[in-house]
Amino acid sequence: MLSLNYVKNNSFGSSSFKRRFIIVFGVTILISILAVTFVFLKLYRLSKDSILAKWDNRTYSIANEMNYYLKLPMDAVVFSAVSLDHMLAYKLPHSAALDYLKQQTDIYCTLIKDNSTGIYAYYEGRYLDGSGWEPPSSYIPLLRPWYMDAKMAGGEIAFSEPYFDLQTSSLMLSVSKLLQDGRSVVAMDVSLEGLKDMIQENIANEFVRELFVMTSSGEVIAHSNNVKTGRNFYNEADEFDIKLLEHFRSCKEDFFSIKYRKNSYTTFTKPVINDWNVVLVLNDSELYKPLFRMYVGFAGVILLVLLLVGFIFAFLQKKYSESELLTRDTKAISDIYTAVVRVNLLTGDMKVVRGSKNLDYALGGSFKNYGGRILNFVDVIASENYAPIVREFMEPLTLEARLSKVKTVSLEYIDREGKWMRLRYFLIDRTQSGELHHVMVAFENIDEDRRQQEALRRLSETDAMTGIHNRGSGEEKIRKAMIEGKHGMFCLIDVDKFKSINDNYGHQAGDLALKAIADSLKDVFRESDIVFRLGGDEFAAFAEGVTTHEIGERILNRVFDFLEKVDIPALGDRKVTISVGASFYPKSNIDTFEAVYQRADEGTYESKKHEGNFFHFVE
């Protein structure tokens, strides 16, 4: 009997243990899947940011190359102006000025090669051309754009509007400068064909939809599509260019995304000399397709590994030991390690000034051949995304150039534990011949600084008076939500007769009214909703998931109810009322933030026609 009871009790205990184990196992697998999904989403976004940063740098490099291309003619005109001003001061004859222009033309035509026709001037009432060109009798320098633009610039460098030269069959630009006598002008014509060559060199990529240079007035100087070169996008543009131009004019950032025929395009813009802009348009579907496939593949592999680990885990009996091991591993990951290594670049020998476990592991007891062991260091200290950048930074062969004018260079990166680190090279000494001899390699933990910067960023997104989002951060969050495909109700809120509150009761009472409205909006809308102050007496809100009039009206009526209960002693019996315009997003597949804002603004206008709290929906 005792034996039977023991078996029954043991079976019951085993069954109970199995049930608990199944529950723990299932929850563990579920959490693991969610964690892996979260990590991969974060990594995917970081990778996208890295890709965008790469193309942003690419656009910046193109802009710099074009700046250099245009700066050389500018320098030629400036240097020539100095000499001609000197000649004017000493009243040297036309022949001396012409000889000088010919000499400068020979010099700069050698430097600029096929990009210029030479330097010319209007000197003491006479046209002089360094290339030897003799103008026809009908040629009047004072009426030429290069002369008139220089006069208008008043001594500053002037750029004429690009023009098509029939003689050279190329797009040209005149650079000119007024001399100190206020009448004479020196100028140079520059071919813009070189910009076309630069564009052609940078579009040989499946990700690039188009690349072009455009003036502030909308004229296209050079375009990857030759048909569009010479057009003015303000007067002649296709549907895509119109949408691109609208975003370009309204966006204050140097990159933005646009939707066109169900496709998304990322656009980078960088300024060039003479108030021009380089515009690079990338096809998002092609840009992120390899990245998406790679991460989906990795996620599948990780999930299979998790399942395999789960099955192995089912047969392990020492749960307490594994829990203790997991605790130690977690603690090891959370620890912050810093290290300093002194390197002899001539011999490759290393001396550890301050060590760490990661450094010891990378060195493996050997302190030789620093340059040949960079890969070992990178594998230990850097995350996968930052490994190529860290590897390039640690390369000792390029240190001579990087430390030629400075004593230290640094790089910030994310380590394998997800912490922000700073890697820095310090110059210690050089040999008698000037070669780098010893450098210090230092690893610094800056994760806390980064967090403080993030806190300051959040502070910059908050409206100081009301404590809700300011316009910049509010609009950014709504645009991001729309890009992510979220639907909802967008509202514009305008305080009724706010100026009279300030005029009759004082600005302090007006501030209390604004705070009361902000508090009412925060009390009614959810934490996940986006509530922000546009500025002055205007507010806005976006309620995600609210897509029907019934729910929208219920929310707005609650706002009105809260306002009815607001009691501001400084206002006496006067109540604070608002006019609301609302609209649902998206109205169609091509709906935009600007469009829903416009609809809500129309609704506010209609609400203003009614006394007291009132809202109006615009479809």
Side-chain angles (χ1 to χ4, degrees):
M1 187 68 178
L2 288 173
S3 177
L4 181 60
N5 286 337
Y6 172 78
V7 172
K8 288 182 178 179
N9 290 336
N10 187 56
S11 300
F12 177 79
S14 177
S15 176
S16 176
F17 170 76
K18 288 181 180 179
R19 284 197 299 270
R20 290 197 301 271
F21 176 79
I22 291 173
I23 293 173
V24 171
F25 176 75
V27 171
T28 302
I29 292 296
L30 179 60
I31 292 175
S32 299
I33 292 173
L34 292 175
V36 169
T37 302
F38 174 78
V39 169
F40 270 94
L41 285 175
K42 292 288 286 184
L43 288 175
Y44 180 72
R45 289 179 183 139
L46 286 173
S47 299
K48 287 181 66 174
D49 291 342
S50 177
I51 291 173
L52 291 176
K54 167 191 169 184
W55 283 101
D56 184 67
N57 289 336
R58 179 81 169 270
T59 310
Y60 181 77
S61 298
I62 296 171
N64 278 345
E65 189 177 355
M66 292 183 177
N67 276 332
Y68 178 78
Y69 181 87
L70 294 172
K71 192 174 184 303
L72 197 55
M74 289 175 57
D75 292 341
V77 171
V78 171
F79 294 150
S80 299
V82 172
S83 297
L84 290 175
D85 280 331
H86 181 77
M87 292 181 179
L88 285 171
Y90 284 92
K91 298 182 180 180
L92 296 184
H94 293 101
S95 58
L98 181 58
D99 289 341
Y100 172 75
L101 292 176
K102 289 180 179 180
Q103 179 187 23
Q104 293 301 101
T105 295
D106 292 339
I107 293 173
Y108 285 108
C109 283
T110 301
L111 293 175
I112 306 178
K113 297 182 180 178
D114 298 329
N115 296 337
S116 172
T117 58
I119 303 177
Y120 54 91
Y122 183 75
Y123 180 86
E124 283 289 331
R126 182 177 172 185
Y127 177 80
L128 305 175
D129 196 306
S131 66
W133 179 70
E134 290 292 337
S137 58
S138 60
Y139 186 83
I140 305 176
L142 301 182
L143 301 180
R144 305 303 296 176
W146 57 267
Y147 183 87
M148 293 188 290
D149 291 339
K151 288 282 286 185
M152 292 180 63
E156 299 294 329
I157 284 290
F159 291 86
S160 67
E161 286 292 328
Y163 62 92
F164 189 76
D165 192 313
L166 295 176
Q167 183 178 1
T168 61
S169 297
S170 61
L171 199 63
M172 302 291 289
L173 172 76
S174 295
V175 184
S176 57
K177 187 179 188 302
L178 184 68
L179 300 183
Q180 291 182 356
D181 65 350
R183 300 188 311 276
S184 301
V185 171
V186 61
M188 172 184 277
D189 292 338
V190 182
S191 172
L192 299 179
E193 293 299 313
L195 300 183
K196 294 182 181 180
D197 296 338
M198 294 179 197
I199 286 177
Q200 293 304 318
E201 291 172 1
N202 286 281
I203 63 170
N205 195 303
E206 59 184 330
F207 307 140
V208 179
R209 187 186 194 274
E210 56 186 51
L211 172 64
F212 60 93
V213 184
M214 182 177 65
T215 69
S216 58
S217 61
E219 185 168 354
V220 179
I221 303 301
H223 200 293
S224 54
N225 183 352
N226 290 328
V227 175
K228 296 184 179 182
T229 299
R231 288 184 181 177
N232 189 306
F233 276 175
Y234 289 103
N235 303 323
E236 182 183 4
D238 56 29
E239 184 181 353
F240 179 84
D241 294 331
I242 292 173
K243 185 176 288 291
L244 178 66
L245 195 60
E246 289 175 352
H247 282 76
F248 175 78
R249 296 174 64 184
S250 62
C251 184
K252 296 180 180 179
E253 303 294 333
D254 58 1
F255 79 95
F256 52 85
S257 294
I258 59 176
K259 297 285 187 179
Y260 178 70
R261 295 182 180 176
K262 299 183 180 180
N263 290 323
S264 178
Y265 299 91
T266 298
T267 303
F268 295 92
T269 66
K270 296 294 178 185
V272 186
I273 289 174
N274 194 28
D275 202 20
W276 296 358
N277 281 277
V278 174
V279 182
L280 175 66
V281 183
L282 302 175
N283 189 329
D284 287 356
S285 60
E286 296 296 331
L287 186 64
Y288 300 126
K289 186 185 295 181
L291 183 67
F292 178 77
R293 289 176 178 173
M294 180 181 69
Y295 276 103
V296 168
F298 283 162
V301 172
I302 294 297
L303 289 176
L304 288 176
V305 171
L306 284 175
L307 290 175
L308 180 61
V309 170
F311 284 116
I312 296 173
F313 177 76
F315 295 96
L316 297 178
Q317 301 297 321
K318 298 178 181 179
K319 296 180 178 59
Y320 179 79
S321 299
E322 288 186 349
S323 176
E324 198 173 39
L325 180 61
L326 181 61
T327 301
R328 288 198 299 269
D329 291 342
T330 303
K331 184 178 182 301
I333 293 174
S334 64
D335 285 341
I336 300 173
Y337 301 105
T338 56
V340 180
V341 181
R342 180 187 176 99
V343 181
N344 185 328
L345 293 176
L346 300 182
T347 64
D349 294 341
M350 294 171 280
K351 177 179 175 59
V352 177
V353 179
R354 182 175 183 180
S356 69
K357 292 181 179 180
N358 283 350
L359 179 63
D360 294 342
Y361 177 77
L363 291 173
S366 174
F367 303 93
K368 303 287 185 180
N369 191 22
Y370 173 76
R373 302 178 66 189
I374 296 297
L375 290 177
N376 293 346
F377 286 120
V378 173
D379 289 341
V380 173
I381 68 174
S383 65
E384 182 179 354
N385 289 336
Y386 279 84
I389 303 173
V390 175
R391 187 181 304 116
E392 181 180 356
F393 178 81
M394 294 189 71
E395 175 56 57
L397 296 177
T398 62
L399 272 179
E400 184 67 55
R402 287 184 282 159
L403 292 174
S404 62
K405 296 182 179 179
V406 294
K407 297 292 186 181
T408 179
V409 290
S410 63
L411 172 72
E412 295 180 0
Y413 68 98
I414 296 177
D415 66 13
R416 299 188 74 85
E417 285 81 34
K419 309 286 186 182
W420 276 101
M421 301 289 292
R422 180 180 289 121
L423 172 58
R424 188 183 294 274
Y425 272 115
F426 291 96
L427 172 62
I428 298 178
D429 58 19
R430 294 178 178 271
T431 64
Q432 291 183 350
S433 61
E435 290 182 273
L436 286 178
H437 192 189
H438 292 96
V439 295
M440 200 79 79
V441 186
F443 301 86
E444 177 186 2
N445 178 16
I446 58 169
D447 199 60
E448 185 62 29
D449 291 341
R450 282 281 186 161
R451 296 188 184 193
Q452 292 178 1
Q453 292 175 11
E454 179 63 20
L456 291 174
R457 183 191 64 79
R458 288 196 297 270
L459 184 63
S460 70
E461 295 178 348
T462 305
D463 180 65
M465 178 184 294
T466 61
I468 61 178
H469 290 297
N470 57 30
R471 180 169 191 161
S473 63
E475 288 191 1
E476 180 182 356
K477 290 179 181 297
I478 293 178
R479 292 179 185 274
K480 181 179 179 182
M482 290 178 174
I483 291 174
E484 293 173 353
K486 295 178 180 178
H487 299 187
M489 176 181 68
F490 178 74
C491 305
L492 284 180
I493 301 103
D494 192 272
V495 185
D496 295 334
K497 301 177 181 177
F498 182 70
K499 185 177 184 302
S500 69
I501 295 178
N502 283 333
D503 292 343
N504 297 323
Y505 301 95
H507 287 278
Q508 186 174 3
D511 292 345
L512 292 174
L514 294 177
K515 292 178 182 178
I517 293 171
D519 291 339
S520 298
L521 293 174
K522 286 192 292 185
D523 289 338
V524 173
F525 285 93
R526 301 162 297 182
E527 289 187 6
S528 60
D529 296 333
I530 303 167
V531 177
F532 61 100
R533 183 184 176 197
L534 287 169
D537 60 345
E538 294 181 312
F539 297 81
F542 181 74
E544 181 187 340
V546 177
T547 57
T548 65
H549 282 270
E550 179 183 356
I551 298 177
E553 291 175 3
R554 190 184 309 162
I555 292 172
L556 295 178
N557 282 322
R558 286 190 63 203
V559 174
F560 293 162
D561 292 340
F562 270 79
L563 284 177
E564 285 291 335
K565 299 174 185 177
V566 170
D567 181 23
I568 302 176
L571 297 181
D573 295 333
R574 177 165 181 168
K575 289 292 183 180
V576 178
T577 61
I578 59 176
S579 296
V580 183
S583 184
F584 296 107
Y585 176 88
K587 180 181 179 182
S588 64
N589 290 335
I590 60 173
D591 204 4
T592 63
F593 172 77
E594 288 74 15
V596 72
Y597 188 101
Q598 180 64 33
R599 295 197 299 273
D601 190 48
E602 293 173 3
T604 306
Y605 179 78
E606 291 297 325
S607 297
K608 282 288 186 181
K609 297 178 181 179
H610 302 269
E611 290 291 332
N613 292 317
F614 199 86
F615 59 79
H616 183 82
F617 282 87
V618 176
E619 298 298 334

